[in-house]
Amino acid sequence: MFGKRRLSLTNISRIFMAQMIRTAKSGNDWTVNELNAYNITVVYQDAATFFGMPHLPAPTINPNVITTLECDHASDDETYRVLRTLDLATSIRPAEESAVDDFAVILLRALGYEPRGRTLRIRTDLPLVICGENRQVKTDVCLIDEHEIIYLLLQEDKRHLSETEGDPEPQLIAEAIAAFALNNRNRILTLGLPTLPSKVLAGITMMGTSPIFYKINVTVELVDAVAGGAYPATQTIVHAHLPAVPRPHRRWDEGMKPLDSRRVILSCYEAFKRFVN
């Protein structure tokens, strides 16, 4: 009209997002506002689409973990450790944080996520440059190699601890951005390799023993945008999968305790290994 192109709602939204005020928040304080501010969208997918296979694989874990309901009935020490920490993480005390992290490490180890040359670490600080200021983000669990390259990030949902605790999803994505930047720094200074322009990092959030799996595509453009407090032109799509357990309405209460839910979730962990690279 009047010789000028009418702005679409999409263009108006982009202009609004680009003009948002961004602050130098710690990554652990990120919310959905930061995802919007840096043009990040999370898309949930079904198992076949997310894992890229028509059927979930059988988990390669001690079979007793799959078939034993109670830790007191475990016939071996590994099964006992997994089921005992599962119980502790399922019934978390109001002010307790470590039970879920302890369970995650023991479970990932039992599933073969920690071969020789890789180490699971708890509560690691990662530097994060945001809006021109040095901040940090603390992981709950991460998987690193001998050169401190990070392959997997896990963030607990801590909203049971306090009303001020936020959604773990934006926090996990902030961790992935920090991990990608740190990995590239280590590639140059430690390995003498060129930086990667992009990388899909594997991530998991956990409420109790119930996980959500993430494939987080981080790019140099996104890292630079966060560092400069700018709106990136390219949208970042994060893919996520919520396991299809038999009783979805009870997933957060039951977690991996029931054997049928446990098998589904363990199969998801097995399928997810291919992205931890």
Side-chain angles (χ1 to χ4, degrees), residues 42-57 169 172 201-207 210-216 238-246 251-252 261 263-272 275:
V42 179
V43 176
Y44 279 75
Q45 299 177 318
D46 61 27
T49 304
F50 182 84
F51 294 114
M53 54 183 67
H55 305 289
L56 289 172
E169 193 169 85
L172 178 72
L201 282 164
I204 301 170
T205 60
M206 291 183 71
M207 176 179 283
S210 187
I212 303 176
F213 299 90
Y214 296 84
K215 296 183 295 186
I216 308 166
V238 175
H239 292 117
H241 174 66
L242 186 65
V245 293
R251 75 168 64 246
W252 308 120
S261 295
R263 179 176 290 275
V264 171
I265 293 172
L266 288 174
S267 291
C268 288
Y269 274 107
E270 189 67 33
F272 197 54
F275 304 109

Side-chain angles (χ1 to χ4, degrees), residues 25 27 30 126-130 133-137 174 177-178 226:
K25 278 186 177 182
W30 273 34
L126 306 178
L128 175 66
V129 180
I130 179 168
E133 298 185 22
N134 292 319
R135 292 290 184 268
Q136 65 180 19
V137 57
I177 295 169
V226 172

Side-chain angles (χ1 to χ4, degrees), residues 185-236:
R185 178 178 173 82
N186 286 336
R187 285 177 64 86
I188 296 173
L189 299 181
T190 303
L191 301 176
L193 296 174
T195 60
L196 297 175
S198 65
K199 173 69 175 172
V200 176
L201 282 164
I204 301 170
T205 60
M206 291 183 71
M207 176 179 283
T209 62
S210 187
I212 303 176
F213 299 90
Y214 296 84
K215 296 183 295 186
I216 308 166
N217 184 36
V218 187
T219 64
V220 170
E221 180 189 1
L222 177 59
V223 170
D224 289 345
V226 172
Y231 186 76
T234 305
Q235 185 181 48
T236 295

Side-chain angles (χ1 to χ4, degrees), residues 28 97-98 100-102 104-105 120-125 137-142 153-158 168 171-172 175 204-206:
N28 295 112
E97 178 179 343
S98 64
V100 171
D101 299 345
D102 293 340
V105 169
L120 288 162
R121 297 192 61 193
I122 293 178
R123 288 184 280 282
T124 302
D125 289 323
V137 57
K138 186 185 291 290
T139 70
D140 283 328
V141 178
C142 67
L153 299 154
L154 186 145
Q155 180 66 31
E156 179 191 354
D157 189 329
K158 300 183 178 74
Q171 299 169 31
L172 178 72
E175 292 169 16
I204 301 170
T205 60
M206 291 183 71

